[in-house]
Amino acid sequence: MTTSCLADTLEPKRANAPLFLGGVMQRTQVLIVGAGPTGLALAAQLNRFGVTARVIDKHAGVLEATKSAALHARTLEHLRTLGVADRVLAEGQRVDILQLRTGHRDRVAVDFRTLRDTAYPHMTDIPQARTEHILIDHLADAGIVVERNTACTRVEQNADAVTVTVTTPEGRTDTIEADWLIGCDGAHSTVREQLGIAFAGEAYADDWVLCDAVVDWPLPRNEMTFSADADGICGVFPLPGERRYRLAYTQNRAADGTLVEPSLADAQQALRRTAVTGTVRSVDEFWTFRLAHKQAVRYRSGRVFLAGDAAHVHTPFGGQGLNLGVGDAMNLGWKLASVVTGLSPRSLLDTYQPERHRIARAVVTFTHRGATAMLLRDDPRRHLRDAVMTLLQHTPLAQRGLARRFSQLGQSYRRTPHIPGRGSSLAAGDRLPDPLLFDGLTNRSVRLHDLLAPDACTLLLTTTADTDPLDASLAALCRRWHGALAGTVLTTRWGAAVRRGAADAVPAILDRGRQAARLYGPGTMAYLVRPDQHLAYVGRPDAARIEECLGSIHTAPALPFSGATAEKA
């Protein structure tokens, strides 16, 4: 088994071979192990760019177990990109507020309605199983079917391919050869173990109980409550359906220290930690589990990547887990598809580790500190915690910061070596804001993200001047990188907008209301937006620098920018 990172070599182009029919090795470009939300989102993202992945899973079907429920704003944006957000919203329960309570008192209300630059200023609670079913149906429409009862048992690789040994539903042992393998197979990842990648971190002392229940609950249905007292934590999360809630609580212990078997009475006892008068009427099923805060020391070994719970696990504080995994999938998906289809150099895949590992480390740390603070119980430091939380409640800026952090809209790839530039309030690596604009040319409202190229980079030029920001060198850049780069002009001046027009090859959007205020600066600003809506370049409209950044993403065209172009826009 080869586990060291391989040197960058020319990527061989292979088409998928016919499926294995006994005695012959199967062949595929991309194999995904694990059909949870991360693996399914990754397959959907690859499919958007024309790459069909095989998805295998050891389970017979979607696990209906009580798992994650909260989908945050950034994840809803990702699901919109994949084309399934509307269905999720139709089935889910909107949640506007995350209320943190300690010592039987409200401390901090994180209000997601303060989020101004997204189409989703809220959470959506929906059982993980339903999210998986929606993604599975979406993939099935594209002809991609999850291969069930198929377990990965061994992983080997060399410079050209990854060889995966699997057990089939019939109990046979087969072999699949893939150009690329992604382990999305959960906290006990076989792929990670086969690679010998350490999963650094520790388990928590408390055991937890999860259940979906019918509860008489007096608080508003748009509010998720996370409470802690001397006995532990109890979270109450509204689900779709009349009086349906998810309860998550630290498992009770008897006087002798032994764990109490979950029951209806036990759930009612845990609910008392909230000091809110509520009654648990019925429970579907109880699930107990042990939490940990761990992270794989690296996310890649040669041709194999880790994503989702295979790469990181943490507490359910703030409902971050599923969302973090989908973020991994969206980041890796467009990069891997671009490499597989020959549009990008293989070095693009080197950016996955520095970008996502740092993001996950921050989330693991944040959720660990949050859960630890909530579980102080009789620790004298709880008084300091309560004082800090009260201060946060009375500091609007801090509250908005918490909303951005929980929503994952604030996640940025700043400070990674391959992403330069800064301008106005944004820097390269940031997510492009998604304000609602009223376009004065078409006389309709539109989201900024909807103006981006769905499967390529976008050069977004913004200006408050009457002059056309698309000069000759930038126009030549867009023509030279046609197919890999689309252009859009955002202007507050009607004269500049009319001269370019909405039907131009590089169309203009007239933002008379300055809804995209964060994007304007002194003079023209240029933003190179990646397919995942993160910024690869921010700064003055320097065609040579923009092309340099674009060249780190895509294979260079036959005629690179010379710096002496005099073509007319």
Side-chain angles (χ1 to χ4, degrees):
M1 177 176 64
T2 303
T3 59
S4 61
C5 288
L6 304 176
D8 286 336
T9 58
L10 291 177
E11 177 60 23
K13 304 296 186 296
R14 300 183 178 90
N16 285 356
L19 297 185
F20 175 84
L21 293 175
V24 179
M25 181 180 292
Q26 303 173 57
R27 194 74 175 78
T28 189
Q29 288 179 315
V30 179
L31 177 64
I32 298 171
V33 179
T38 300
L40 296 170
L42 177 59
Q45 177 76 322
L46 288 166
N47 184 66
R48 285 184 61 239
F49 292 87
V51 176
T52 300
R54 287 184 67 180
V55 185
I56 65 173
D57 192 276
K58 65 182 179 181
H59 299 292
V62 173
L63 296 180
E64 301 298 331
T66 300
K67 292 184 179 180
S68 300
L71 299 180
H72 282 287
R74 186 62 176 132
T75 301
L76 292 170
E77 289 182 348
H78 290 320
L79 295 178
R80 180 177 64 172
T81 297
L82 298 179
V84 298
D86 287 346
R87 185 171 172 188
V88 168
L89 293 173
E91 291 195 26
Q93 168 67 45
R94 176 171 173 144
V95 175
D96 297 315
I97 296 171
L98 169 59
Q99 180 69 62
L100 301 178
R101 293 172 55 84
T102 61
H104 302 166
R105 293 180 58 186
D106 289 345
R107 299 294 181 184
V108 179
V110 181
D111 192 340
F112 297 104
R113 292 170 298 189
T114 62
L115 301 170
R116 302 299 185 192
D117 65 344
T118 180
Y120 310 105
H122 56 82
M123 285 190 295
T124 295
D125 278 358
I126 182 172
Q128 178 176 318
R130 286 305 309 149
T131 301
E132 292 181 20
H133 279 298
I134 290 171
L135 286 167
I136 287 169
D137 291 346
H138 177 72
L139 290 172
D141 289 341
I144 301 170
V145 178
V146 176
E147 300 172 42
R148 296 288 180 183
N149 288 316
T150 305
C152 167
T153 60
R154 185 174 177 80
V155 176
E156 299 173 290
Q157 65 172 312
N158 55 37
D160 296 320
V162 186
T163 302
V164 181
T165 303
V166 301
T167 56
T168 70
E170 300 77 26
R172 190 176 64 242
T173 298
D174 283 355
T175 304
I176 303 172
E177 187 177 82
D179 291 338
W180 304 97
L181 171 68
I182 302 91
C184 305
D185 49 341
H188 303 289
S189 169
T190 299
V191 173
R192 187 187 65 241
E193 292 174 358
Q194 283 287 301
L195 295 174
I197 295 177
F199 205 34
E202 298 177 349
Y204 290 97
D206 286 285
D207 290 82
W208 283 71
V209 178
L210 275 177
C211 64
D212 289 352
V214 175
V215 184
D216 291 335
W217 187 245
L219 298 188
R221 289 278 291 168
N222 72 332
E223 182 177 325
M224 174 189 291
T225 307
F226 205 69
S227 304
D229 70 359
D231 293 326
I233 286 176
C234 182
V236 183
F237 314 139
L239 293 176
E242 186 178 359
R243 297 187 298 160
R244 296 283 297 175
Y245 291 86
R246 173 156 300 170
L247 304 182
Y249 59 92
T250 46
Q251 194 166 3
N252 289 308
R253 291 184 179 271
D256 61 0
T258 58
L259 292 171
V260 174
E261 188 69 20
S263 65
L264 187 65
D266 176 65
Q268 184 65 53
Q269 177 66 30
L271 195 65
R272 293 192 179 98
R273 299 171 188 172
T274 67
V276 176
T277 302
T279 303
V280 183
R281 295 297 182 185
S282 65
V283 173
D284 294 351
E285 190 172 1
F286 290 99
W287 300 83
T288 59
F289 60 98
R290 174 66 62 87
L291 289 174
H293 54 105
K294 294 184 177 182
Q295 187 176 18
V297 295
R298 66 183 190 277
Y299 286 4
R300 180 184 182 184
S301 176
R303 292 178 170 270
V304 186
F305 297 85
L306 300 176
D309 286 355
H312 42 72
V313 293
H314 47 79
T315 78
F317 181 73
Q320 301 293 286
L322 184 158
N323 299 271
L324 189 60
V326 171
D328 293 342
M330 299 300 286
N331 181 289
L332 179 60
W334 73 269
K335 295 174 179 177
L336 184 56
S338 195
V339 170
V340 167
T341 56
L343 297 177
S344 295
R346 185 171 161 183
S347 58
L348 179 63
L349 296 174
D350 296 338
T351 66
Y352 174 65
Q353 159 83 24
E355 290 185 357
R356 294 306 299 176
H357 195 277
R358 182 168 57 83
I359 293 291
R361 184 171 64 247
V363 171
V364 171
T365 300
F366 175 63
T367 55
H368 171 63
R369 289 174 178 170
T372 301
M374 296 290 282
L375 282 169
L376 287 175
R377 292 188 167 98
D378 290 327
D379 191 308
R381 291 176 296 174
R382 72 184 186 279
H383 301 298
L384 176 60
R385 171 204 64 194
D386 294 345
V388 170
M389 294 175 76
T390 300
L391 179 63
L392 292 174
Q393 176 65 23
H394 293 91
T395 309
L397 182 62
Q399 282 188 290
R400 290 194 295 271
L402 284 173
R404 290 195 65 79
R405 184 150 199 174
F406 280 117
S407 69
Q408 299 193 0
L409 294 176
Q411 290 181 356
S412 172
Y413 304 135
R414 293 185 186 189
R415 299 185 301 279
T416 48
H418 61 286
I419 301 182
R422 184 180 185 90
S424 64
S425 63
L426 294 170
D430 291 350
R431 160 191 163 272
L432 179 73
D434 188 26
L436 181 65
L437 311 172
F438 186 83
D439 179 13
L441 291 184
T442 61
N443 285 311
R444 64 184 179 89
S445 296
V446 62
R447 285 280 171 186
L448 182 56
H449 282 188
D450 290 336
L451 303 175
L452 304 176
D455 55 359
C457 291
T458 300
L459 177 60
L460 178 65
L461 301 171
T462 69
T463 183
T464 58
D466 278 325
T467 55
D468 189 346
L470 190 76
D471 64 17
S473 62
L474 294 173
L477 180 71
C478 290
R479 287 194 293 270
R480 190 164 46 254
W481 288 84
H482 178 71
L485 180 67
T488 296
V489 170
L490 189 61
T491 177
T492 62
R493 306 301 290 267
W494 66 269
V498 169
R499 281 192 296 273
R500 177 149 298 280
D504 196 276
V506 179
I509 308 300
L510 177 56
D511 177 28
R512 288 274 286 173
R514 295 178 179 255
Q515 297 302 306
R518 291 186 65 195
L519 298 176
Y520 300 117
T524 299
M525 294 296 300
Y527 301 88
L528 181 61
V529 190
R530 309 188 320 187
D532 59 357
Q533 297 101 37
H534 282 266
L535 301 173
Y537 172 85
V538 176
R540 310 305 300 170
D542 184 326
R545 292 196 64 200
I546 294 170
E547 182 151 51
E548 182 182 356
C549 292
L550 190 59
S552 69
I553 297 173
H554 289 298
T555 302
L559 297 172
F561 179 66
S562 66
T565 301
E567 298 178 68
K568 192 172 182 179

